[in-house]
Structures are given as structure tokens and as C-alpha cells.
Amino acid sequence: MGSLTTRPFVFACALPCLALAVGVRAEPVASSAPLAARIESFEVLSRDDAFGGAAFGSVGAYERIDAIAHVTLDPAHPANREIADLGLAPRDASGRVAYESDVTILRPKNARAANRTLLFEVVNRGNRFALGVLNDAPRGGALDTAAAAGNGFAMKQGYTLVWAGWQADAIGAGLMSARFPIATENGAAITGRVQVELVFDHTDQPGRIALPYPADTLDSSQATLSVRQRQGDALRAIPAAAFRFIDAHALEVTRPADMDAGAIYELVYSARDPVV
């Protein structure tokens, strides 16, 4: 099969994290050149009325499509050489590395009413902001009520909007994420010491620390936790009895009473399973 090439008449970065492609044509091109990455399948999870079925002028109602793009990439392709630990990723039968990405599409239900312009937003930490910027819509990225469309500007113009997750650590309700493979070494799990520095910026007690990599052990005596009030202060150890691993992804600490919301905590622990 041939690949697809897009030939935009205009491409402009109109706003931070927003890219506008106008008048895009897709034409089949016969090519034997290896692709850096390709979508192997597009799994549609749901297809529903957007914004509670609200209509937007002559364009009418919109539909929302939520899907998962199943993608593979060529680990030997020059465009992929900067991907960390790609050489340690598992391969499929054809020697490619597989991953998947959340995708959401908003488009007019009546295809003839669309203005043939697609707006792709690069999500920020899994959050969608385009409707807030374009439509003065409420923050949060919800797409299920008429109020979530704000003033409906983009919808009344007939734009198609697309979002795709690209961060594996964007996890939570309503966030768009991607799932990448776990690096292994000769099939065995990779472990190592990880250092985390954070400021809570609140006074909740106890404090909860989200771990960037899963803990290799839940024995808190195998980890160290320290705190200092200011960057230039000496670190002060927090006793192991004052903190515990809730699970492999989070730690809970009873915070010292003499440290305020801006105190700097440093955690060193044994982790496993780095994401490619």
C-alpha cells in the first residue's frame, strides 16, 4: 500500500500550542521508503453527540469521537534516534516498537457543513485548552454540555478539532494520555535509584508524593526522605517511621510542623520499569 502525504496551502502557528492547517489535501503516494512511525489501527471507543446535542448556527450539531490510535515506529529510523531507551523497548514480529495514544475528534455531524479546516491542539499535561482560547469556554475541557462550548465560535465556523495524548505520565480523569512500552534489559526488569525533589505548596497533612517511576520495594527503610526550608539550607532527614509507601506509585509523609508550604522535600528511592 502507498503512504499518504499532506499538502497544505497554509500552515500557521496561530496561538501557543495551537496549529492551524488550512485547505489540507491528502493524496496517495506509492513509496517503498521506511516510515518513522505509522498508525496500524484506529480503535473507536465511542461516537456521541457533543455539547448535549446543541446546534451552532448553519453548521448545526457536532459529534465527538473518542478513540485510541495504535502506532508502531521503526527503532532504526534516523528520526527516532533521540528517543530515550528506544533500544531497550520490546519489538513486535516485524521489529517495530508499538505504543498507543488517546484521540478525541470534534466535527460537524453534517460533513457538508464543515469548513474543511482542521485545528490540532498539542495538549498541555493531558489538558485541552483550545475551546477556552477560541470560544471563551469554561476551563476543564469538558465536551458534554452546551455550556462547555462557550460562545460556540469555532463550532459556528465549522472547524474540525483534534486532540491526541503524547505524555505517558498524564494520568487522571479527563486527561489525554499515551501508553509507551517499558524498557527491559535482555527481558529482565530495569531497576535503579531515583531522586525526586518537590514543593507541596499547600499545608495538607499528611503530604502525598506521586512517584515518577514505580517503587521497586515498599519498604520505607530502603528510601531516604529529607527536607529543607530554603534552597541554600542543609538537608534534614525525616525518620523512616514518618513516611510510608501507599503503593508502588505514591508515598505518604507526616510533614514536620516547623516546615511551611514552601519547604523543599527530597526523596531517594529504588525504582523499576522506566518508560521508553
Side-chain angles (χ1 to χ4, degrees):
M1 293 180 64
S3 61
L4 287 179
T5 183
T6 57
R7 299 186 179 181
F9 300 125
V10 179
F11 182 83
C13 191
L15 295 165
C17 292
L18 299 180
L20 187 66
V22 182
V24 174
R25 294 180 293 150
E27 301 178 7
V29 176
S31 174
S32 60
L35 298 175
R38 66 178 179 233
I39 296 177
E40 302 290 351
S41 64
F42 195 73
E43 178 186 357
V44 176
L45 303 177
S46 62
R47 185 171 179 174
D48 303 297
D49 287 344
F51 308 118
F56 301 92
S58 61
V59 174
Y62 264 66
E63 69 172 346
R64 171 183 179 172
I65 300 170
D66 289 311
I68 296 176
H70 297 274
V71 190
T72 65
L73 58 80
D74 178 2
H77 196 285
N80 297 325
R81 63 165 55 105
E82 299 300 324
I83 299 176
D85 294 331
L86 183 58
L88 300 175
R91 314 286 177 86
D92 64 15
S94 61
R96 297 176 68 86
V97 175
Y99 67 95
E100 60 185 40
S101 172
D102 297 335
V103 178
T104 295
I105 302 170
L106 282 182
R107 66 180 188 180
K109 293 187 71 174
N110 176 11
R112 295 179 182 273
N115 69 1
R116 300 178 63 81
T117 303
L118 183 148
L119 176 69
F120 179 84
E121 179 187 10
V122 180
V123 294
N124 187 332
R125 304 297 305 168
N127 293 283
R128 298 183 292 262
F129 292 107
L131 293 181
V133 174
L134 297 173
N135 290 16
D136 289 330
R139 294 193 63 176
L143 305 172
D144 54 349
T145 66
N151 60 29
F153 170 78
M155 282 69 249
K156 293 173 184 176
Q157 310 304 311
Y159 287 105
T160 295
L161 289 88
V162 179
W163 298 267
W166 60 277
Q167 291 173 275
D169 59 348
I171 301 172
L175 299 182
M176 305 202 67
S177 184
R179 270 77 59 194
F180 300 127
I182 301 298
T184 60
E185 196 161 21
N186 297 322
I190 294 175
T191 62
R193 303 291 284 177
V194 172
Q195 178 180 334
V196 181
E197 186 176 274
L198 79 152
V199 174
F200 283 105
D201 204 27
H202 59 68
T203 57
D204 295 352
Q205 189 71 282
R208 185 185 177 101
I209 300 174
L211 305 179
Y213 296 96
D216 186 41
T217 174
L218 302 186
D219 182 359
S220 59
S221 69
Q222 301 301 307
T224 61
L225 183 62
S226 307
V227 65
R228 61 187 185 277
Q229 185 60 60
R230 298 175 181 82
Q231 190 69 44
D233 294 348
L235 285 170
R236 189 176 85 195
I238 295 177
F243 63 92
R244 69 182 184 90
F245 288 95
I246 300 171
D247 53 34
H249 303 281
L251 179 142
E252 187 177 78
V253 55
T254 301
R255 299 161 62 180
D258 60 338
M259 294 289 172
D260 66 20
I264 304 167
Y265 290 78
E266 182 181 289
L267 170 68
V268 179
Y269 71 103
S270 179
R272 62 182 291 126
D273 298 341
V275 175
V276 173

